Amino acid sequence: MNRLDLLGFMPFRLNRLATEFSNALAADYARFGIDIPEWRVLATLGMHDAPRSANYVVRCTRTHKSRISRAVGHLAELGFVERLESGDDRREIMLQLTPRGREVYEELLPLLRAREQALLSCLRPAQAGALDDILFTLERSLDLVVHKR
């Protein structure tokens, strides 16, 4: 019988690592009353000065639109995000960080970057660079929104 070694199966390995990284970071933003999908919305909007559509957030994060919608609702209740009407298409919801949302984002950045460095500290610099190159190549091959290099 042919069996799959789940622990050696790349999609499983990537998913498991992503879950561990996300959980490690979650403690930092949980103190602001937000969870992983809410952080993803905050972080996606925080990358830009101008408003972005909810669809853009969905594309960037690969999170289901219903989860993004709930996350936006909670972030709006907290006063971190505001919804704007799109001049072109009223069905499209535009989102932007409020001044308070921008403060929270800016406060979290050094904490999350330090945690990322700690998580990657087991890698030599060449390994970290190679990992970034490999992830970038995989993301591009899957037509994902990628970071600027």
Side-chain angles (χ1 to χ4, degrees), residues 35-54:
D35 62 13
I36 292 169
E38 292 159 359
W39 162 247
R40 290 176 182 167
V41 172
L42 197 75
T44 302
L45 297 176
M47 293 189 306
H48 306 283
D49 293 325
R52 292 290 182 245
S53 71

Side-chain angles (χ1 to χ4, degrees), residues 21-32 34-36 39-40 42-43 104-120:
F21 271 62
S22 288
N23 290 341
L25 298 173
D28 289 323
Y29 44 80
R31 66 190 178 129
F32 292 97
I34 61 177
D35 62 13
I36 292 169
W39 162 247
R40 290 176 182 167
L42 197 75
V104 168
Y105 175 76
E106 295 291 337
E107 189 174 334
L108 278 168
L109 284 183
L111 302 172
L112 296 174
R113 285 188 175 134
R115 188 155 324 255
E116 177 191 35
Q117 286 302 314
L119 289 166
L120 295 174

Side-chain angles (χ1 to χ4, degrees), residues 41-148:
V41 172
L42 197 75
T44 302
L45 297 176
M47 293 189 306
H48 306 283
D49 293 325
R52 292 290 182 245
S53 71
N55 286 331
Y56 176 79
V57 176
V58 168
R59 279 194 327 273
C60 283
T61 64
R62 289 303 224 231
T63 304
H64 193 274
K65 62 184 176 183
S66 64
R67 289 191 81 186
I68 293 299
S69 179
R70 284 192 299 274
V72 167
H74 187 239
L75 291 169
E77 287 174 16
L78 292 172
F80 296 166
V81 169
E82 61 185 337
R83 296 177 182 100
L84 307 169
E85 283 189 22
S86 172
D88 300 334
D89 183 353
R90 290 185 177 252
R91 294 172 298 168
E92 186 170 47
I93 299 169
M94 300 300 288
L95 306 168
Q96 74 178 12
L97 294 182
T98 63
R100 177 67 183 130
R102 181 66 62 186
E103 287 174 19
V104 168
Y105 175 76
E106 295 291 337
E107 189 174 334
L108 278 168
L109 284 183
L111 302 172
L112 296 174
R113 285 188 175 134
R115 188 155 324 255
E116 177 191 35
Q117 286 302 314
L119 289 166
L120 295 174
S121 67
C122 64
L123 300 177
R124 294 186 305 277
Q127 289 175 312
L131 176 61
D132 186 61
D133 288 344
I134 290 165
L135 291 175
F136 184 79
T137 300
L138 288 169
E139 290 164 338
R140 270 196 346 219
S141 75
L142 295 169
D143 200 28
L144 298 177
V145 178
V146 294
H147 67 96
K148 291 184 171 51

